[in-house]
Amino acid sequence: QGDSADYDSEVASVCPFCGVGCQVSLKVKDGRVKYVEGIDGPANEGRLCVKGRFGFDYIHHPHRLTVPLIRREDAPAKGLNVDPGNWQSHFREASWEEAMDFAARGLKGRGREVAGFGSAKCTNEEAYLFQKFIRQGFGHNNVDHCTRLCHASSVAALMENVGSAAVTATFNQIENADVAIVIGANPVENHPVAATYFKQFAKRGGKLIVMDPRGVGLRRFASHMLQFRPGADVAMLNAIMHVIVEEELYDRQYVEAYTENFAAEVAHLKDFAPEKMAEVCGIPAEVLRDVARTIARAEAGMIFWGMGVSQHIHGTDNSRCLISLALMCGHVGRPGTGLHPLRGQNNVQGASDAGLIPMFLPDYQSVTDDGVRSAFSEVWQSGDFSNQKGLTVTEIMDAVHEGQIKAMYILGENPAMSDPDVEHARDALAKLDHLVVQDIFLTETANYADVILPASAFAEKSGTVTNTNRQVQMGRPAVPPPGQAREDWAITVDLARRCGLDWHYDSPADVFAEMKRTMKSFDNITWDRLALENAVTYPSLSPEDPGQPIVFGSGFPRAGGRAKFTPASVIAPAEAPDADYPMILTTGRQLEHWHTGSMTRRSRVLDAVEPEANCSLHPSTLRRLGVEPGGMLRLTTRRGSIEIMARADRAVAPDMVFLPFAYVEAAANVLTNPAVDPYGKIPEFKFSAVRVEPAGVP
Ligand code: SF4
């Protein structure tokens, strides 16, 4: 740790892991980040979790890519078969000149045969450039990123019913709330610093209502813990709303002034009496009634949700219910109220805002709107591009199998680990005739690359990121990229120019200036201002306004200014447990490991704490299986089978298995179901039918 004199420099930046967006001071000695300390950012006020404090050393890992690589002509067939520390039999080193020419040659002029995955781990400027490259360079919208796998259904419901895809209030507003619902989220592990605010709220006497099929960490602080049956979210939420309507506890004035379609919602809810729904959702009717009264009688309430809500084929319906619940209670637009999907990656909010999605240009402007497209064509000084919504992450992989997409540019994403039914994705990657991967490590996806472009970690570059709170924050380089690695924005610009685009950017600040011309959300936010203030929340109403933590106090950005109730019916999960696959598999993250593990499994401290692939089951389930904690299990679904160490966890229901998805040696997505929500196109990662047996039993 030491004091300032022990370091050569101290650089203010942002944690690269989760969407909380904690501000950090990176302390550098001899060209290496030696220590990280939390500083007073708007989201963290000096706090950090174990990842932010101890997880940074991945940037100095010996596996970092330091030179461009091109697949050898005599390389083995493409597959998950490259040792990231010993890749020489598959790839050869190349100069940047040769690698970029090779990369561009395989993409240029191929139009609809090309698709791109950008990254929520890159900056706003890099996300903007990436989507512009695909749209301007290839004339279509086949560009997406991991928001498709985390909150796409939340975005679909928010756009439909509120008119905006971002949170209506920062999570810090919980300090002004009387009641808060946390549903389908495990912030103690996934948004740990946000969780500290939630715990403080409960300790001060706030009513914390936790709803989750797993008894997640916040249960110790909960006034109500509703451990409902997996997949029964809509039934449970409709039952709660039924009580609010039946007992006339809703905010009549608010509903009349600010909403539409309430009558349809009321009519729909008639069938959802708690006494009828109790068995469906596994929560006693009197508890549902008590929770309904607690929420509706509160002066100020907030709703936080995570991927337990969104990663279902009814993910959009789940979010619709949460929006309706907040609207009928008048819990939007005031201090201590709000709708808050807890965004996962450090810049998934910003990458989505920047248009890294197939149906929207920056600021969620529709690609189907002729006026919008012509405005972008003018700023980009180029011709029109397709008015058809592009393909999503999983649709792109299907299109590769169908032979429509033959080349891809993947920046910082790892579909060979993160896609559902991942063997399908791996086979698609192997089928591509040209795959350009830009990353900091030789990831599982890079195993399939034809050319690998060594990129920069967050602590090595300039750029802005936007956290779950709509706070746009400045990231600064503390150390240079290793070897010949380059900043991602510069690589994309170089590639675009070699593909024939007349691009001229000298810095991320240039890109930010162009973004401001297309994104009203950045009004009053400038690069210079961020350099000075570190963070500004959008919307910012003037050059002096630090930004609005709460929005929609006087209407919504929809036609007529009203938010909408959209009734939701119960839809069963895509795959019901049966005699062959009798248990329920749910996947997620652990405190120590981030997503597909490419960074955190290369962090000495984090990997030491959590070194081995594991899954969690209730102790009674393990007893029934005759397996001790620490013993090995075989998990099998209709997609595949893995063997993995078992842990006992009373928080997991007896008919469930919880499986983290960070471990390549027992990859969770070998098992997951690729069925998607029809609106958000998000896969059902939270529910697959699975058979669980002791490993080694034939
Ligand atoms: Fe980083 Fe999230 Fe932890 Fe904050 S809470 S230190 S942003 S991982």
Side-chain angles (χ1 to χ4, degrees), residues 176-500:
N176 298 315
D178 305 306
V179 62
I181 299 172
V182 178
I183 175 168
N186 188 7
V188 169
E189 303 216 24
N190 299 331
H191 302 83
V193 166
T196 64
Y197 291 86
F198 300 174
K199 292 174 193 171
Q200 283 176 323
F201 160 78
K203 283 183 171 171
R204 279 197 305 267
K207 296 250 185 288
L208 184 63
I209 301 170
V210 178
M211 303 171 171
D212 200 285
R214 268 205 302 157
V216 291
L218 275 180
R219 71 187 182 281
R220 291 194 293 119
F221 300 84
S223 60
H224 303 72
M225 175 72 219
L226 276 61
Q227 198 165 350
F228 61 95
R229 287 197 209 292
D233 324 51
V234 168
M236 178 183 69
L237 294 167
N238 277 351
I240 288 168
M241 287 192 283
H242 172 101
V243 176
I244 293 171
V245 170
E246 181 191 57
E247 299 186 7
E248 298 194 5
L249 299 172
Y250 59 91
D251 186 336
R252 189 181 301 271
Q253 265 187 332
Y254 185 88
V255 167
E256 284 175 3
Y258 294 115
T259 71
E260 63 186 39
N261 212 31
F262 185 56
E265 181 75 48
V266 168
H268 182 75
L269 292 173
K270 280 204 167 57
D271 291 336
F272 289 89
E275 291 69 24
K276 267 171 76 180
M277 291 299 115
E279 185 156 347
V280 178
C281 55
I283 305 293
E286 59 272 23
V287 174
L288 293 169
R289 288 189 176 274
D290 181 38
V291 165
R293 291 168 192 143
T294 304
I295 297 166
R297 286 177 181 152
E299 183 59 27
M302 294 190 75
I303 302 177
F304 300 93
W305 70 96
M307 284 169 246
V309 163
S310 59
Q311 290 176 334
H312 285 282
I313 59 162
H314 53 272
T316 303
D317 282 327
N318 288 346
S319 296
R320 285 170 173 156
C321 288
L322 297 172
I323 293 165
S324 294
L325 177 58
L327 292 177
M328 71 172 57
C329 296
H331 286 171
V332 181
R334 294 179 289 114
T337 67
L339 290 157
H340 193 120
L342 287 155
R343 304 308 303 258
Q345 301 241 22
N346 63 329
N347 197 35
V348 70
Q349 183 65 57
S352 303
D353 295 345
L356 203 55
I357 31 184
M359 53 291 284
F360 295 121
L361 285 144
D363 258 1
Y364 306 93
Q365 299 174 77
S366 175
V367 298
T368 62
D369 185 316
D370 293 344
V372 163
R373 280 197 330 285
S374 84
F376 275 90
S377 294
E378 199 176 316
V379 173
W380 293 351
Q381 297 183 335
S382 63
D384 199 3
F385 49 94
S386 173
N387 62 358
Q388 305 284 310
K389 293 175 182 174
L391 300 176
T392 61
V393 163
T394 54
E395 289 170 343
I396 285 171
M397 290 304 176
D398 291 341
V400 175
H401 278 288
E402 288 156 13
Q404 291 158 19
I405 289 174
K406 297 179 176 163
M408 286 190 73
Y409 174 27
I410 299 182
L411 189 172
E413 292 254 308
N414 197 5
M417 279 289 285
S418 58
D419 268 27
D421 186 13
V422 76
E423 293 298 352
H424 175 82
R426 291 173 182 172
D427 289 348
L429 293 170
K431 237 176 158 172
L432 289 166
D433 65 33
H434 188 68
L435 174 59
V436 182
V437 171
Q438 180 173 322
D439 214 309
I440 62 172
F441 293 114
L442 208 156
T443 60
E444 290 74 19
T445 297
N447 274 237
Y448 297 85
D450 294 285
V451 52
I452 303 175
L453 308 174
S456 43
F458 198 70
E460 297 160 356
K461 61 186 171 188
S462 296
T464 66
V465 283
T466 306
N467 70 359
T468 189
N469 279 345
R470 294 182 267 106
Q471 286 149 349
V472 186
Q473 308 200 83
M474 181 59 84
R476 299 181 180 84
V479 290
Q484 298 175 31
R486 297 167 71 185
E487 293 191 36
D488 293 83
W489 73 270
I491 302 172
T492 303
V493 169
D494 189 347
L495 192 56
R497 287 172 64 93
R498 288 170 198 256
C499 285

Side-chain angles (χ1 to χ4, degrees), residues 74-201:
D74 59 351
K78 286 184 179 178
L80 195 56
N81 53 10
V82 187
D83 175 350
N86 187 17
W87 40 260
Q88 286 78 358
S89 54
H90 292 70
F91 297 99
R92 64 174 173 83
E93 293 188 3
S95 67
W96 270 107
E97 193 60 28
E98 184 191 6
M100 293 302 281
D101 265 351
F102 181 81
R105 242 190 345 268
L107 299 174
K108 191 175 176 182
R110 298 187 71 173
R112 287 194 166 274
E113 288 184 357
V114 174
F117 289 169
S119 173
K121 297 230 81 60
C122 285
T123 65
N124 289 326
E125 296 74 30
E126 289 161 349
Y128 176 86
L129 287 177
F130 193 92
Q131 59 84 33
K132 178 178 173 180
F133 175 45
I134 297 297
R135 290 183 160 120
Q136 191 183 26
F138 304 98
H140 58 72
N141 298 294
N142 292 342
V143 58
D144 206 355
H145 77 295
C146 69
T147 191
R148 192 67 40 214
L149 309 179
C150 64
H151 265 304
S153 49
S154 309
V155 167
L158 285 165
M159 288 296 293
E160 171 189 53
N161 298 296
V162 177
S164 163
V167 300
T168 72
T170 62
F171 66 72
N172 314 71
Q173 279 299 313
I174 196 170
E175 69 182 17
N176 298 315
D178 305 306
V179 62
I181 299 172
V182 178
I183 175 168
N186 188 7
V188 169
E189 303 216 24
N190 299 331
H191 302 83
V193 166
T196 64
Y197 291 86
F198 300 174
K199 292 174 193 171
Q200 283 176 323
F201 160 78

Side-chain angles (χ1 to χ4, degrees), residues 15 17-18 20-22 48-49 51-52 192-193:
C15 172
F17 290 107
C18 90
V20 172
C22 297
L48 290 181
C49 79
K51 287 191 287 288
V193 166

